[in-house]
mmCIF file of all heavy atoms in Angstrom:
data_model
loop_
_atom_site.group_PDB
_atom_site.id
_atom_site.type_symbol
_atom_site.label_atom_id
_atom_site.label_comp_id
_atom_site.label_asym_id
_atom_site.label_seq_id
_atom_site.Cartn_x
_atom_site.Cartn_y
_atom_site.Cartn_z
ATOM 1 N N ASP A 262 212.679 -50.032 94.902
ATOM 2 C CA ASP A 262 211.515 -49.483 94.195
ATOM 3 C C ASP A 262 210.964 -50.552 93.255
ATOM 4 O O ASP A 262 211.587 -50.851 92.240
ATOM 5 C CB ASP A 262 211.900 -48.235 93.407
ATOM 6 C CG ASP A 262 210.761 -47.602 92.666
ATOM 7 O OD1 ASP A 262 209.636 -48.166 92.688
ATOM 8 O OD2 ASP A 262 210.960 -46.528 92.072
ATOM 9 N N PRO A 263 209.820 -51.149 93.567
ATOM 10 C CA PRO A 263 209.271 -52.226 92.764
ATOM 11 C C PRO A 263 209.067 -51.861 91.280
ATOM 12 O O PRO A 263 209.072 -52.729 90.425
ATOM 13 C CB PRO A 263 207.937 -52.570 93.429
ATOM 14 C CG PRO A 263 208.012 -51.960 94.772
ATOM 15 C CD PRO A 263 208.973 -50.846 94.710
ATOM 16 N N ASP A 264 208.934 -50.562 90.989
ATOM 17 C CA ASP A 264 208.728 -50.136 89.637
ATOM 18 C C ASP A 264 210.035 -49.909 88.887
ATOM 19 O O ASP A 264 210.026 -49.597 87.702
ATOM 20 C CB ASP A 264 207.898 -48.863 89.597
ATOM 21 C CG ASP A 264 206.486 -49.059 90.140
ATOM 22 O OD1 ASP A 264 205.934 -50.156 89.934
ATOM 23 O OD2 ASP A 264 205.953 -48.135 90.771
ATOM 24 N N ASP A 265 211.159 -50.030 89.584
ATOM 25 C CA ASP A 265 212.456 -49.720 88.981
ATOM 26 C C ASP A 265 213.494 -50.776 89.382
ATOM 27 O O ASP A 265 214.559 -50.475 89.886
ATOM 28 C CB ASP A 265 212.923 -48.323 89.433
ATOM 29 C CG ASP A 265 214.105 -47.846 88.607
ATOM 30 O OD1 ASP A 265 214.280 -48.307 87.481
ATOM 31 O OD2 ASP A 265 214.872 -47.023 89.162
ATOM 32 N N ILE A 266 213.169 -52.058 89.150
ATOM 33 C CA ILE A 266 214.098 -53.154 89.496
ATOM 34 C C ILE A 266 214.924 -53.459 88.243
ATOM 35 O O ILE A 266 214.387 -53.841 87.201
ATOM 36 C CB ILE A 266 213.317 -54.390 89.956
ATOM 37 C CG1 ILE A 266 212.620 -54.074 91.282
ATOM 38 C CG2 ILE A 266 214.237 -55.569 90.091
ATOM 39 C CD1 ILE A 266 211.779 -55.187 91.805
ATOM 40 N N GLU A 267 216.218 -53.284 88.375
ATOM 41 C CA GLU A 267 217.121 -53.466 87.230
ATOM 42 C C GLU A 267 217.325 -54.966 86.918
ATOM 43 O O GLU A 267 217.506 -55.777 87.798
ATOM 44 C CB GLU A 267 218.461 -52.816 87.549
ATOM 45 C CG GLU A 267 218.327 -51.315 87.739
ATOM 46 C CD GLU A 267 219.630 -50.623 88.111
ATOM 47 O OE1 GLU A 267 220.700 -51.147 87.758
ATOM 48 O OE2 GLU A 267 219.558 -49.594 88.753
ATOM 49 N N GLY A 268 217.281 -55.273 85.633
ATOM 50 C CA GLY A 268 217.508 -56.646 85.164
ATOM 51 C C GLY A 268 216.532 -57.676 85.666
ATOM 52 O O GLY A 268 216.854 -58.852 85.691
ATOM 53 N N ASP A 269 215.330 -57.242 86.068
ATOM 54 C CA ASP A 269 214.334 -58.148 86.585
ATOM 55 C C ASP A 269 214.859 -59.005 87.752
ATOM 56 O O ASP A 269 214.546 -60.166 87.893
ATOM 57 C CB ASP A 269 213.771 -59.063 85.482
ATOM 58 C CG ASP A 269 212.514 -59.776 85.890
ATOM 59 O OD1 ASP A 269 211.730 -59.212 86.699
ATOM 60 O OD2 ASP A 269 212.280 -60.918 85.433
ATOM 61 N N LEU A 270 215.705 -58.377 88.583
ATOM 62 C CA LEU A 270 216.355 -59.049 89.690
ATOM 63 C C LEU A 270 215.986 -58.337 90.993
ATOM 64 O O LEU A 270 216.514 -57.299 91.305
ATOM 65 C CB LEU A 270 217.888 -59.067 89.504
ATOM 66 C CG LEU A 270 218.702 -59.728 90.599
ATOM 67 C CD1 LEU A 270 218.322 -61.215 90.723
ATOM 68 C CD2 LEU A 270 220.183 -59.583 90.312
ATOM 69 N N ASN A 271 215.046 -58.946 91.713
ATOM 70 C CA ASN A 271 214.587 -58.403 92.975
ATOM 71 C C ASN A 271 215.311 -59.112 94.111
ATOM 72 O O ASN A 271 215.084 -60.300 94.359
ATOM 73 C CB ASN A 271 213.077 -58.594 93.138
ATOM 74 C CG ASN A 271 212.530 -57.947 94.389
ATOM 75 O OD1 ASN A 271 213.274 -57.515 95.266
ATOM 76 N ND2 ASN A 271 211.208 -57.893 94.472
ATOM 77 N N LEU A 272 216.164 -58.391 94.836
ATOM 78 C CA LEU A 272 216.972 -58.981 95.875
ATOM 79 C C LEU A 272 216.415 -58.707 97.258
ATOM 80 O O LEU A 272 217.100 -58.934 98.258
ATOM 81 C CB LEU A 272 218.415 -58.503 95.786
ATOM 82 C CG LEU A 272 219.137 -58.867 94.485
ATOM 83 C CD1 LEU A 272 220.560 -58.381 94.489
ATOM 84 C CD2 LEU A 272 219.078 -60.388 94.226
ATOM 85 N N LEU A 273 215.189 -58.275 97.361
ATOM 86 C CA LEU A 273 214.576 -58.114 98.679
ATOM 87 C C LEU A 273 214.267 -59.457 99.323
ATOM 88 O O LEU A 273 214.670 -59.710 100.429
ATOM 89 C CB LEU A 273 213.328 -57.211 98.643
ATOM 90 C CG LEU A 273 213.620 -55.728 98.641
ATOM 91 C CD1 LEU A 273 212.338 -54.936 98.568
ATOM 92 C CD2 LEU A 273 214.400 -55.285 99.840
ATOM 93 N N PRO A 274 213.540 -60.355 98.605
ATOM 94 C CA PRO A 274 213.318 -61.664 99.221
ATOM 95 C C PRO A 274 214.422 -62.652 98.811
ATOM 96 O O PRO A 274 215.098 -62.481 97.791
ATOM 97 C CB PRO A 274 211.965 -62.083 98.613
ATOM 98 C CG PRO A 274 211.998 -61.464 97.244
ATOM 99 C CD PRO A 274 212.742 -60.147 97.411
ATOM 100 N N ARG A 275 214.625 -63.655 99.640
ATOM 101 C CA ARG A 275 215.580 -64.718 99.325
ATOM 102 C C ARG A 275 215.250 -65.367 97.977
ATOM 103 O O ARG A 275 216.164 -65.721 97.221
ATOM 104 C CB ARG A 275 215.553 -65.760 100.466
ATOM 105 C CG ARG A 275 216.581 -66.880 100.250
ATOM 106 C CD ARG A 275 216.564 -67.828 101.459
ATOM 107 N NE ARG A 275 217.687 -68.741 101.453
ATOM 108 C CZ ARG A 275 217.661 -69.959 100.925
ATOM 109 N NH1 ARG A 275 216.580 -70.380 100.289
ATOM 110 N NH2 ARG A 275 218.724 -70.743 100.980
ATOM 111 N N GLU A 276 213.988 -65.488 97.714
ATOM 112 C CA GLU A 276 213.550 -66.108 96.449
ATOM 113 C C GLU A 276 214.083 -65.353 95.225
ATOM 114 O O GLU A 276 214.307 -65.948 94.171
ATOM 115 C CB GLU A 276 212.021 -66.172 96.368
ATOM 116 C CG GLU A 276 211.389 -67.140 97.354
ATOM 117 C CD GLU A 276 211.369 -66.628 98.786
ATOM 118 O OE1 GLU A 276 211.347 -65.358 99.026
ATOM 119 O OE2 GLU A 276 211.376 -67.454 99.712
ATOM 120 N N GLY A 277 214.285 -64.057 95.379
ATOM 121 C CA GLY A 277 214.867 -63.287 94.267
ATOM 122 C C GLY A 277 216.272 -63.720 93.926
ATOM 123 O O GLY A 277 216.659 -63.801 92.770
ATOM 124 N N TYR A 278 217.060 -64.022 94.956
ATOM 125 C CA TYR A 278 218.422 -64.514 94.734
ATOM 126 C C TYR A 278 218.389 -65.883 94.052
ATOM 127 O O TYR A 278 219.183 -66.188 93.188
ATOM 128 C CB TYR A 278 219.200 -64.670 96.067
ATOM 129 C CG TYR A 278 219.608 -63.352 96.672
ATOM 130 C CD1 TYR A 278 218.790 -62.652 97.554
ATOM 131 C CD2 TYR A 278 220.864 -62.801 96.372
ATOM 132 C CE1 TYR A 278 219.200 -61.483 98.136
ATOM 133 C CE2 TYR A 278 221.274 -61.609 96.964
ATOM 134 C CZ TYR A 278 220.441 -60.958 97.833
ATOM 135 O OH TYR A 278 220.824 -59.757 98.407
ATOM 136 N N LEU A 279 217.424 -66.724 94.468
ATOM 137 C CA LEU A 279 217.297 -68.072 93.935
ATOM 138 C C LEU A 279 216.766 -68.072 92.515
ATOM 139 O O LEU A 279 217.209 -68.885 91.675
ATOM 140 C CB LEU A 279 216.393 -68.923 94.833
ATOM 141 C CG LEU A 279 216.926 -69.140 96.258
ATOM 142 C CD1 LEU A 279 215.856 -69.818 97.102
ATOM 143 C CD2 LEU A 279 218.215 -69.944 96.232
ATOM 144 N N LYS A 280 215.828 -67.167 92.232
ATOM 145 C CA LYS A 280 215.220 -67.100 90.898
ATOM 146 C C LYS A 280 216.192 -66.486 89.901
ATOM 147 O O LYS A 280 216.258 -66.898 88.722
ATOM 148 C CB LYS A 280 213.977 -66.252 90.956
ATOM 149 C CG LYS A 280 213.311 -65.989 89.630
ATOM 150 C CD LYS A 280 212.141 -65.027 89.796
ATOM 151 C CE LYS A 280 211.702 -64.568 88.438
ATOM 152 N NZ LYS A 280 211.280 -63.175 88.409
ATOM 153 N N GLY A 281 216.973 -65.525 90.341
ATOM 154 C CA GLY A 281 217.860 -64.810 89.411
ATOM 155 C C GLY A 281 217.105 -63.716 88.709
ATOM 156 O O GLY A 281 216.039 -63.285 89.168
ATOM 157 N N GLY A 282 217.642 -63.262 87.606
ATOM 158 C CA GLY A 282 217.029 -62.151 86.889
ATOM 159 C C GLY A 282 216.949 -62.397 85.416
ATOM 160 O O GLY A 282 217.011 -63.542 84.947
ATOM 161 N N GLU A 283 216.868 -61.346 84.705
ATOM 162 C CA GLU A 283 216.722 -61.376 83.261
ATOM 163 C C GLU A 283 217.901 -62.079 82.571
ATOM 164 O O GLU A 283 217.738 -62.802 81.607
ATOM 165 C CB GLU A 283 216.587 -59.949 82.748
ATOM 166 C CG GLU A 283 216.331 -59.810 81.265
ATOM 167 C CD GLU A 283 216.177 -58.349 80.868
ATOM 168 O OE1 GLU A 283 216.181 -57.472 81.724
ATOM 169 O OE2 GLU A 283 216.063 -58.103 79.657
ATOM 170 N N PHE A 284 219.096 -61.850 83.051
ATOM 171 C CA PHE A 284 220.307 -62.361 82.409
ATOM 172 C C PHE A 284 220.986 -63.483 83.144
ATOM 173 O O PHE A 284 221.812 -64.182 82.562
ATOM 174 C CB PHE A 284 221.313 -61.200 82.229
ATOM 175 C CG PHE A 284 220.752 -60.026 81.471
ATOM 176 C CD1 PHE A 284 220.432 -58.874 82.140
ATOM 177 C CD2 PHE A 284 220.517 -60.112 80.112
ATOM 178 C CE1 PHE A 284 219.910 -57.786 81.455
ATOM 179 C CE2 PHE A 284 219.975 -59.042 79.411
ATOM 180 C CZ PHE A 284 219.681 -57.867 80.088
ATOM 181 N N VAL A 285 220.673 -63.661 84.404
ATOM 182 C CA VAL A 285 221.397 -64.656 85.240
ATOM 183 C C VAL A 285 220.386 -65.499 85.998
ATOM 184 O O VAL A 285 219.536 -64.959 86.703
ATOM 185 C CB VAL A 285 222.336 -63.930 86.249
ATOM 186 C CG1 VAL A 285 223.019 -64.921 87.150
ATOM 187 C CG2 VAL A 285 223.353 -63.088 85.520
ATOM 188 N N LYS A 286 220.534 -66.805 85.863
ATOM 189 C CA LYS A 286 219.625 -67.685 86.578
ATOM 190 C C LYS A 286 220.321 -68.370 87.768
ATOM 191 O O LYS A 286 219.656 -68.754 88.744
ATOM 192 C CB LYS A 286 219.049 -68.782 85.655
ATOM 193 C CG LYS A 286 218.270 -68.206 84.502
ATOM 194 C CD LYS A 286 217.070 -67.424 84.983
ATOM 195 C CE LYS A 286 216.294 -66.825 83.816
ATOM 196 N NZ LYS A 286 215.641 -65.573 84.109
ATOM 197 N N ASP A 287 221.610 -68.541 87.729
ATOM 198 C CA ASP A 287 222.339 -69.235 88.794
ATOM 199 C C ASP A 287 223.049 -68.237 89.706
ATOM 200 O O ASP A 287 224.192 -68.430 90.104
ATOM 201 C CB ASP A 287 223.331 -70.238 88.234
ATOM 202 C CG ASP A 287 224.355 -69.616 87.280
ATOM 203 O OD1 ASP A 287 224.158 -68.443 86.885
ATOM 204 O OD2 ASP A 287 225.359 -70.260 86.977
ATOM 205 N N LEU A 288 222.351 -67.145 90.064
ATOM 206 C CA LEU A 288 222.938 -66.128 90.885
ATOM 207 C C LEU A 288 223.349 -66.679 92.234
ATOM 208 O O LEU A 288 224.436 -66.418 92.732
ATOM 209 C CB LEU A 288 221.972 -64.960 91.082
ATOM 210 C CG LEU A 288 222.494 -63.792 91.887
ATOM 211 C CD1 LEU A 288 223.610 -63.044 91.086
ATOM 212 C CD2 LEU A 288 221.395 -62.837 92.256
ATOM 213 N N LEU A 289 222.491 -67.471 92.828
ATOM 214 C CA LEU A 289 222.750 -68.017 94.161
ATOM 215 C C LEU A 289 222.482 -69.546 94.126
ATOM 216 O O LEU A 289 221.401 -69.964 93.832
ATOM 217 C CB LEU A 289 221.837 -67.351 95.197
ATOM 218 C CG LEU A 289 221.956 -67.891 96.635
ATOM 219 C CD1 LEU A 289 223.340 -67.678 97.194
ATOM 220 C CD2 LEU A 289 220.892 -67.273 97.503
ATOM 221 N N VAL A 290 223.537 -70.280 94.487
ATOM 222 C CA VAL A 290 223.426 -71.734 94.651
ATOM 223 C C VAL A 290 223.753 -71.977 96.117
ATOM 224 O O VAL A 290 224.919 -72.050 96.471
ATOM 225 C CB VAL A 290 224.385 -72.495 93.704
ATOM 226 C CG1 VAL A 290 224.240 -74.002 93.921
ATOM 227 C CG2 VAL A 290 224.130 -72.127 92.247
ATOM 228 N N PRO A 291 222.712 -72.050 96.965
ATOM 229 C CA PRO A 291 222.991 -72.223 98.398
ATOM 230 C C PRO A 291 223.879 -73.416 98.678
ATOM 231 O O PRO A 291 223.687 -74.505 98.131
ATOM 232 C CB PRO A 291 221.594 -72.436 98.990
ATOM 233 C CG PRO A 291 220.682 -71.729 98.073
ATOM 234 C CD PRO A 291 221.286 -71.980 96.691
ATOM 235 N N GLY A 292 224.929 -73.185 99.483
ATOM 236 C CA GLY A 292 225.862 -74.245 99.829
ATOM 237 C C GLY A 292 227.050 -74.336 98.895
ATOM 238 O O GLY A 292 227.991 -75.078 99.150
ATOM 239 N N ASP A 293 227.053 -73.551 97.792
ATOM 240 C CA ASP A 293 228.139 -73.648 96.814
ATOM 241 C C ASP A 293 228.467 -72.305 96.213
ATOM 242 O O ASP A 293 227.961 -71.950 95.147
ATOM 243 C CB ASP A 293 227.762 -74.651 95.732
ATOM 244 C CG ASP A 293 228.947 -75.113 94.898
ATOM 245 O OD1 ASP A 293 230.035 -74.444 94.954
ATOM 246 O OD2 ASP A 293 228.818 -76.123 94.211
ATOM 247 N N ALA A 294 229.325 -71.546 96.907
ATOM 248 C CA ALA A 294 229.707 -70.211 96.417
ATOM 249 C C ALA A 294 230.406 -70.292 95.064
ATOM 250 O O ALA A 294 230.228 -69.415 94.233
ATOM 251 C CB ALA A 294 230.597 -69.524 97.459
ATOM 252 N N ALA A 295 231.127 -71.363 94.808
ATOM 253 C CA ALA A 295 231.884 -71.481 93.538
ATOM 254 C C ALA A 295 230.914 -71.545 92.347
ATOM 255 O O ALA A 295 231.260 -71.132 91.231
ATOM 256 C CB ALA A 295 232.755 -72.713 93.563
ATOM 257 N N LYS A 296 229.710 -72.061 92.540
ATOM 258 C CA LYS A 296 228.729 -72.144 91.463
ATOM 259 C C LYS A 296 227.763 -70.973 91.409
ATOM 260 O O LYS A 296 226.936 -70.896 90.529
ATOM 261 C CB LYS A 296 227.933 -73.460 91.572
ATOM 262 C CG LYS A 296 228.760 -74.695 91.282
ATOM 263 C CD LYS A 296 227.903 -75.927 91.329
ATOM 264 C CE LYS A 296 228.719 -77.150 91.054
ATOM 265 N NZ LYS A 296 227.939 -78.390 91.210
ATOM 266 N N SER A 297 227.878 -70.088 92.394
ATOM 267 C CA SER A 297 226.984 -68.938 92.497
ATOM 268 C C SER A 297 227.566 -67.769 91.727
ATOM 269 O O SER A 297 228.622 -67.249 92.031
ATOM 270 C CB SER A 297 226.790 -68.532 93.955
ATOM 271 O OG SER A 297 226.184 -69.568 94.678
ATOM 272 N N PHE A 298 226.840 -67.331 90.700
ATOM 273 C CA PHE A 298 227.294 -66.211 89.855
ATOM 274 C C PHE A 298 227.441 -64.934 90.655
ATOM 275 O O PHE A 298 228.182 -64.042 90.270
ATOM 276 C CB PHE A 298 226.379 -66.021 88.667
ATOM 277 C CG PHE A 298 226.940 -65.123 87.626
ATOM 278 C CD1 PHE A 298 228.059 -65.524 86.877
ATOM 279 C CD2 PHE A 298 226.360 -63.902 87.366
ATOM 280 C CE1 PHE A 298 228.590 -64.680 85.901
ATOM 281 C CE2 PHE A 298 226.882 -63.029 86.397
ATOM 282 C CZ PHE A 298 228.006 -63.440 85.661
ATOM 283 N N LEU A 299 226.776 -64.862 91.772
ATOM 284 C CA LEU A 299 226.917 -63.700 92.658
ATOM 285 C C LEU A 299 228.378 -63.446 93.018
ATOM 286 O O LEU A 299 228.811 -62.299 93.085
ATOM 287 C CB LEU A 299 226.094 -63.884 93.930
ATOM 288 C CG LEU A 299 226.121 -62.763 94.962
ATOM 289 C CD1 LEU A 299 225.626 -61.466 94.354
ATOM 290 C CD2 LEU A 299 225.311 -63.130 96.180
ATOM 291 N N MET A 300 229.161 -64.487 93.182
ATOM 292 C CA MET A 300 230.588 -64.320 93.525
ATOM 293 C C MET A 300 231.341 -63.670 92.372
ATOM 294 O O MET A 300 232.187 -62.822 92.577
ATOM 295 C CB MET A 300 231.210 -65.663 93.921
ATOM 296 C CG MET A 300 230.665 -66.282 95.192
ATOM 297 S SD MET A 300 230.767 -65.182 96.649
ATOM 298 C CE MET A 300 232.540 -64.937 96.746
ATOM 299 N N THR A 301 231.023 -64.085 91.154
ATOM 300 C CA THR A 301 231.675 -63.504 89.971
ATOM 301 C C THR A 301 231.339 -62.021 89.866
ATOM 302 O O THR A 301 232.186 -61.205 89.564
ATOM 303 C CB THR A 301 231.173 -64.228 88.691
ATOM 304 O OG1 THR A 301 231.558 -65.617 88.787
ATOM 305 C CG2 THR A 301 231.804 -63.651 87.434
ATOM 306 N N VAL A 302 230.068 -61.707 90.138
ATOM 307 C CA VAL A 302 229.577 -60.343 90.040
ATOM 308 C C VAL A 302 230.271 -59.444 91.055
ATOM 309 O O VAL A 302 230.763 -58.369 90.691
ATOM 310 C CB VAL A 302 228.042 -60.330 90.205
ATOM 311 C CG1 VAL A 302 227.515 -58.930 90.391
ATOM 312 C CG2 VAL A 302 227.366 -61.024 89.038
ATOM 313 N N ILE A 303 230.315 -59.854 92.320
ATOM 314 C CA ILE A 303 230.856 -58.996 93.359
ATOM 315 C C ILE A 303 232.388 -58.913 93.328
ATOM 316 O O ILE A 303 232.959 -57.981 93.855
ATOM 317 C CB ILE A 303 230.356 -59.373 94.773
ATOM 318 C CG1 ILE A 303 230.842 -60.748 95.182
ATOM 319 C CG2 ILE A 303 228.841 -59.229 94.864
ATOM 320 C CD1 ILE A 303 230.523 -61.124 96.626
ATOM 321 N N LYS A 304 233.008 -59.901 92.659
ATOM 322 C CA LYS A 304 234.485 -59.847 92.531
ATOM 323 C C LYS A 304 234.894 -59.088 91.267
ATOM 324 O O LYS A 304 236.044 -58.925 90.988
ATOM 325 C CB LYS A 304 235.076 -61.253 92.451
ATOM 326 C CG LYS A 304 234.984 -62.015 93.762
ATOM 327 C CD LYS A 304 235.586 -63.406 93.571
ATOM 328 C CE LYS A 304 235.582 -64.189 94.838
ATOM 329 N NZ LYS A 304 236.169 -65.546 94.642
ATOM 330 N N TRP A 305 233.916 -58.647 90.472
ATOM 331 C CA TRP A 305 234.148 -57.962 89.214
ATOM 332 C C TRP A 305 234.989 -58.823 88.231
ATOM 333 O O TRP A 305 235.895 -58.346 87.599
ATOM 334 C CB TRP A 305 234.847 -56.594 89.463
ATOM 335 C CG TRP A 305 233.946 -55.521 89.942
ATOM 336 C CD1 TRP A 305 232.864 -55.621 90.769
ATOM 337 C CD2 TRP A 305 234.003 -54.127 89.572
ATOM 338 N NE1 TRP A 305 232.281 -54.410 90.961
ATOM 339 C CE2 TRP A 305 232.950 -53.459 90.237
ATOM 340 C CE3 TRP A 305 234.836 -53.403 88.747
ATOM 341 C CZ2 TRP A 305 232.736 -52.118 90.120
ATOM 342 C CZ3 TRP A 305 234.603 -52.052 88.630
ATOM 343 C CH2 TRP A 305 233.567 -51.407 89.308
ATOM 344 N N GLU A 306 234.656 -60.086 88.128
ATOM 345 C CA GLU A 306 235.363 -60.997 87.253
ATOM 346 C C GLU A 306 234.769 -61.086 85.867
ATOM 347 O O GLU A 306 235.361 -61.735 85.001
ATOM 348 C CB GLU A 306 235.403 -62.395 87.899
ATOM 349 C CG GLU A 306 236.232 -62.417 89.180
ATOM 350 C CD GLU A 306 236.211 -63.761 89.849
ATOM 351 O OE1 GLU A 306 235.333 -64.594 89.603
ATOM 352 O OE2 GLU A 306 237.108 -63.960 90.679
ATOM 353 N N ASP A 307 233.610 -60.498 85.640
ATOM 354 C CA ASP A 307 232.982 -60.488 84.326
ATOM 355 C C ASP A 307 232.688 -59.027 83.974
ATOM 356 O O ASP A 307 231.851 -58.405 84.672
ATOM 357 C CB ASP A 307 231.701 -61.319 84.351
ATOM 358 C CG ASP A 307 231.018 -61.408 82.996
ATOM 359 O OD1 ASP A 307 231.100 -60.440 82.194
ATOM 360 O OD2 ASP A 307 230.392 -62.455 82.725
#
């Protein structure tokens, strides 16, 4: 729902992963999962 995107993070387009959101800018670093905050998020490490 474009009117209800949490944390200003739109994950529909690839660009949304690259841009990040309100609180996280390095959500996706293509080619480097260790530097991608997405891994921390989905592993519940923070």
Side-chain angles (χ1 to χ4, degrees):
D262 180 355
D264 296 326
D265 191 26
I266 294 177
E267 297 177 28
D269 194 31
L270 180 60
N271 184 350
L272 298 181
L273 278 179
R275 182 176 191 267
E276 291 75 26
Y278 287 90
L279 297 172
K280 176 185 167 217
E283 183 178 356
F284 304 106
V285 177
K286 300 299 178 210
D287 59 347
L288 183 69
L289 176 64
V290 179
D293 196 343
K296 291 183 181 175
S297 298
F298 193 67
L299 180 60
M300 294 305 299
T301 300
V302 169
I303 65 173
K304 290 180 178 180
W305 281 37
E306 294 176 341
D307 183 327

